Amino acid sequence: MSTETGTWRLLHRAKGPRPAPAGARPLRDRLALTAGLVAPFLAALALVPFRTDLSHTNAALILVVVVVAVAALGSRAAGLLAALSSAAWFDFFLTRPYETFDITASADIETAVLLLIVGLIVSQLAARTRRLEVITVTDADHLSRIHRTADLAQSAGSADTVVDHVRRELTDLLQLRACRFEYGTLMGRPPRLQQDGSVTAGRRPWDVDAADWPAGEIELRTYGNGRYLGRFMLTPGPGPVPPLQARLVAVTLADQTGAALDTAGPAEEG
């Protein structure tokens, strides 16, 4: 399999990393939640001296900027909190009657509602942009593995060199205790890491989101031009099954190994 083909499959079938467990929220997100509550209050308070001269539309736009900043800094939850806080303090400080949560003018009600809606939308967009940045960093690491293997497959004098390289890559990528490669005939029916990144045990799919790896070794087969050439036998380490993105990279590395073995010919396979 070429590097371009492996990259295409990874980018089109991988998903983002698993969310952090509850209670493990990063410090950055906790600070953003605080900013989501406090920053709109401070911004609205700062606009109080100008509220008679500043149009309500311009004031709302300033608060939208605050929402965007908070959402870009932290999580989606922080952006949502900032949007709600902005709408509340806009009502309290910047619409008549001042220092109450009552609005008498219909135009001010419309502005407050629009502020809330726009704030919610932009917070979603900003948070999504941040998430995509995280996924891009992860993809860069995964893609570097694919490119390293492709370069080695083209330059290595022996397919065994590629096999050993991929065995080490799989051990690191999937956090394995051990990884070995078997040439030739299939023996037994161990659990299998499939081409789509799923895991099967026997004839049944394995729930990778709710369980650890199946017990025992996991096979990852390699093919060259549709012909079975061998399999990596994976001994899982402790902890849950790695994310789908990592599993798809593992499948791509196995495919590159199969391509190297197929090019080398029968003499290399024994």
Side-chain angles (χ1 to χ4, degrees):
M1 171 179 288
S2 67
T3 302
E4 290 78 7
T5 304
T7 301
W8 184 93
R9 178 171 60 192
L10 175 64
L11 292 178
H12 284 74
R13 292 160 66 182
K15 293 182 181 178
R18 288 178 179 171
R25 191 182 297 276
L27 175 61
R28 173 174 170 173
D29 286 351
R30 294 199 300 269
L31 292 175
L33 285 171
T34 302
L37 185 63
V38 175
F41 167 78
L42 295 177
L45 188 63
L47 294 175
V48 168
F50 312 101
R51 62 190 176 190
T52 56
D53 301 321
L54 186 66
S55 72
H56 289 170
T57 300
N58 289 337
L61 288 175
I62 292 173
L63 292 175
V64 167
V65 172
V66 175
V67 174
V68 173
V70 171
L73 170 67
S75 63
R76 180 179 289 105
L80 296 177
L81 182 60
L84 293 170
S85 180
S86 293
W89 295 121
F90 173 81
D91 177 7
F92 188 83
F93 285 118
L94 303 175
T95 64
R96 298 179 186 274
Y98 298 129
E99 281 78 51
T100 72
F101 287 105
D102 296 327
I103 301 180
T104 56
S106 60
D108 292 342
I109 295 175
E110 292 175 0
T111 302
V113 171
L114 288 174
L115 168 61
L116 177 60
I117 293 173
V118 173
L120 293 176
I121 292 172
V122 297
S123 70
Q124 295 284 332
L125 294 175
R128 177 174 174 80
T129 299
R130 180 190 169 198
R131 178 178 177 273
L132 289 175
E133 288 174 353
V134 173
I135 294 175
T136 300
V137 171
T138 305
D139 281 346
D141 179 63
H142 289 336
L143 290 174
S144 69
R145 295 181 188 273
I146 295 173
H147 283 289
R148 284 199 302 268
T149 304
D151 290 341
L152 182 64
Q154 293 174 3
S155 61
S158 168
D160 288 336
T161 303
V162 179
V163 169
D164 289 339
H165 168 79
V166 172
R167 184 173 50 80
R168 291 190 298 270
E169 290 282 1
L170 292 175
T171 301
D172 180 59
L173 174 67
L174 301 177
Q175 297 298 296
L176 305 173
R177 283 200 180 97
C179 179
R180 60 189 179 86
F181 188 79
E182 289 184 349
Y183 291 93
T185 306
L186 289 167
M187 303 242 347
R189 295 185 61 185
R192 184 188 308 172
L193 177 56
Q194 302 282 5
Q195 288 290 304
D196 62 357
S198 64
V199 178
T200 55
R203 296 182 182 276
R204 295 177 298 176
W206 187 261
D207 187 358
V208 294
D209 293 323
D212 294 343
W213 289 103
E217 291 183 310
I218 316 295
E219 70 172 4
L220 173 57
R221 298 182 180 183
T222 63
Y223 296 87
N225 287 324
R227 182 168 59 98
Y228 170 77
L229 297 175
R231 61 183 179 179
F232 290 96
M233 301 302 294
L234 318 173
T235 302
V241 180
L244 175 60
Q245 193 178 43
R247 302 196 305 270
L248 287 174
V249 174
V251 170
T252 301
L253 295 177
D255 287 344
Q256 289 178 315
T257 304
L261 290 171
D262 182 66
T263 301
E268 290 278 356
E269 296 173 22

